[in-house]
C-alpha cells in the first residue's frame, strides 16, 4: 500500500512552521528563543524547496536546501558565539536589556 501525500499538505505544514517561527520571533524576549525561531523559519523554507523539487522531479530544490543548511550552520556558529559573548558581558539574554551595542 503506497499512499501519496499531496504537495498541499507539505506547503500547509511549511506555512504553519514559518508562521510559528515568525510569531515566536516577534513575541519572545529571550535571544536563544529568537535564534531558534530563525532556524524554524529556515527549515520551513527548506521543506517547501524539497516539496517542489519532488513534485517537478528536479534536483535544484535540494541543492538550494543544501546551501540553506550550510548558511544556517554558519549562522548557528556565529550566532551562538555572539549570544555567549553577550551573556558573559551582560549576564542576561533578554532582548530588551541587550538593545545597546555599547558594552
Amino acid at each position: 500500500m503506497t499512499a501519496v501525500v499531496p504537495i498541499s499538505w507539505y506547503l500547509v505544514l511549511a506555512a504553519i512552521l514559518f508562521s510559528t517561527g515568525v510569531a515566536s520571533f516577534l513575541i519572545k524576549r529571550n535571544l536563544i528563543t529568537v535564534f531558534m525561531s530563525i532556524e524554524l523559519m529556515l527549515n520551513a523554507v527548506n521543506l517547501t524547496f524539497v516539496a517542489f523539487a519532488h513534485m517537478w522531479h528536479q534536483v535544484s530544490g535540494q541543492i538550494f536546501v543544501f546551501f540553506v543548511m550550510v548558511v544556517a550552520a554558519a549562522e548557528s556558529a556565529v550566532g551562538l558565539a555572539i549570544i555567549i559573548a553577550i551573556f558573559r558581558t551582560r549576564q542576561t539574554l533578554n532582548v530588551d536589556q541587550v538593545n545597546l551595542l555599547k558594552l
Side-chain angles (χ1 to χ4, degrees):
M1 181 173 138
T2 59
V4 177
V5 179
I7 190 170
S8 61
W9 291 15
Y10 291 111
L11 296 179
V12 168
L13 178 63
I16 290 170
L17 287 175
F18 193 83
S19 301
T20 304
V22 169
S24 59
F25 180 82
L26 295 175
I27 293 172
K28 295 295 184 175
R29 296 285 115 209
N30 189 334
L31 278 177
I32 298 289
T33 309
V34 169
F35 193 69
M36 290 184 341
S37 302
I38 294 169
E39 297 295 328
L40 188 62
M41 288 187 280
L42 288 174
N43 283 329
V45 171
N46 283 343
L47 181 61
T48 305
F49 278 138
V50 169
F52 280 119
H54 180 71
M55 184 178 81
W56 290 325
H57 303 290
Q58 297 285 323
V59 182
S60 59
Q62 294 170 356
I63 293 171
F64 278 122
V65 168
F66 177 74
F67 285 121
V68 169
M69 289 174 67
V70 167
V71 169
E75 177 225 346
S76 297
V78 173
L80 286 176
I82 291 171
I83 288 172
I84 289 171
I86 288 172
F87 182 75
R88 284 184 178 174
T89 56
R90 304 275 173 102
Q91 299 299 321
T92 183
L93 290 178
N94 191 344
V95 175
D96 294 331
Q97 296 175 356
V98 293
N99 57 1
L100 298 175
L101 292 177
K102 184 178 177 184
L103 296 178

